Amino acid sequence: MEMKIVVDNCIFKKKRRNLFLIILGLIFFSFFFMVLSDFQMSRVIMGSSKVGGFLKAYFPPRFIEFKSTLYELWITIIVSIGSTVLAAIFSFFMSLCVSKSVSLNRPLGVVFSGLGLICRNVPIYVWQLLLGMIFYMGGFFLAFLIIFLISLGFLIRAFTETIDETSGSTIEALEAAGADKFVIIKSAVIPDTLAQLVSWTLFCIETNIRSSSLIGYLTGAGIGYLISFYRGFKRDFNTTLGLVIVIAVTLILWDYFSNKLREVILSED
């Protein structure tokens, strides 16, 4: 009994020492990169005194014509949902090739994995510049294409990990029974992962509604266009804050709707 207590104390001391070293390392690297990037806390403290000016410029929020705001918001939501759903369809078939447990086509899996890596890590601004120069157009098409590519990169990884983690044992059992790839996808992958795949898609739509405001700001489409117009051209900060509040309320409502839909899917599953 005493031996066990001694061993437990040694393990506890080792864990505590490791935790202390990790915290010390994080503090060191934080200060190192603060010095490297010329970050000064004094500027942050001095800048906080300008909060009053911000409140005076942006408050109270002003809500412009309801019809035009609702139309641009509707466009933003439709572009986000349409591009994400299309990306989810492509991502599912690509993830079947990338997945280690299914591995529908290994060469294509390598290609799709690289494509997902690129789409996932290229920033929105870069996509806007590249695609804007290639297609010589902005508006809804460019916003749709940017959101599609970003969603494709995210969902390929999310779907691949879901398939590998959720249906691995079932796939092994069917392979042992001599089932081919298409039977495995139909009998194991889709039933086991459908709820989580839909959940990931809903989450991606929520993220894209938020991102589409920035993309619309860059491409001149949706409610992001209104924000750029009233903030940049008219310098109407009260209306800008009103549009931001509309986006925030939309995201809260979508989050509530998606959570309810997840509950229904999981309860049926």
Side-chain angles (χ1 to χ4, degrees), residues 151-247:
S151 304
L152 188 71
F154 172 77
L155 291 176
I156 286 176
R157 179 169 182 176
F159 286 4
T160 301
E161 293 180 354
T162 300
I163 292 171
D164 287 338
E165 293 174 1
T166 306
S167 56
S169 58
T170 310
I171 291 173
E172 290 178 1
L174 288 173
E175 286 178 343
D180 59 24
K181 297 290 186 182
F182 295 100
V183 172
I184 291 173
I185 294 170
K186 178 182 177 181
S187 304
V189 175
I190 294 177
D192 288 350
T193 62
L194 182 61
Q196 292 189 29
L197 298 184
V198 172
S199 181
W200 277 118
T201 304
L202 292 173
F203 173 76
C204 192
I205 291 173
E206 179 184 341
T207 304
N208 286 336
I209 292 175
R210 184 165 54 249
S211 300
S212 63
S213 303
L214 173 60
I215 294 171
Y217 190 96
L218 297 172
T219 61
I223 199 167
Y225 163 73
L226 291 180
I227 292 176
S228 66
F229 177 75
Y230 282 98
R231 184 183 183 279
F233 180 73
K234 298 191 71 173
R235 309 294 290 176
D236 187 349
F237 300 119
N238 303 94
T239 302
T240 301
L241 181 60
L243 294 170
V244 172
I245 291 174
V246 169
I247 296 172

Side-chain angles (χ1 to χ4, degrees), residues 120-180:
R120 192 166 54 247
N121 290 288
V122 174
I124 293 174
Y125 292 103
V126 178
W127 280 126
Q128 190 269 336
L129 291 172
L130 290 176
L131 297 177
M133 290 187 294
I134 293 173
F135 294 102
Y136 296 100
M137 62 188 305
F140 304 126
F141 173 76
L142 186 58
F144 186 98
L145 191 57
I146 293 173
I147 297 175
F148 170 79
L149 292 173
I150 295 172
S151 304
L152 188 71
F154 172 77
L155 291 176
I156 286 176
R157 179 169 182 176
F159 286 4
T160 301
E161 293 180 354
T162 300
I163 292 171
D164 287 338
E165 293 174 1
T166 306
S167 56
S169 58
T170 310
I171 291 173
E172 290 178 1
L174 288 173
E175 286 178 343
D180 59 24

Side-chain angles (χ1 to χ4, degrees), residues 12-30:
F12 176 74
K13 289 180 180 179
K14 185 177 180 180
K15 288 183 178 180
R16 187 170 58 183
R17 185 175 65 253
N18 291 338
L19 180 62
F20 174 75
L21 292 175
I22 291 172
I23 295 174
L24 191 65
L26 290 174
I27 294 174
F28 171 77
F29 280 109
S30 298

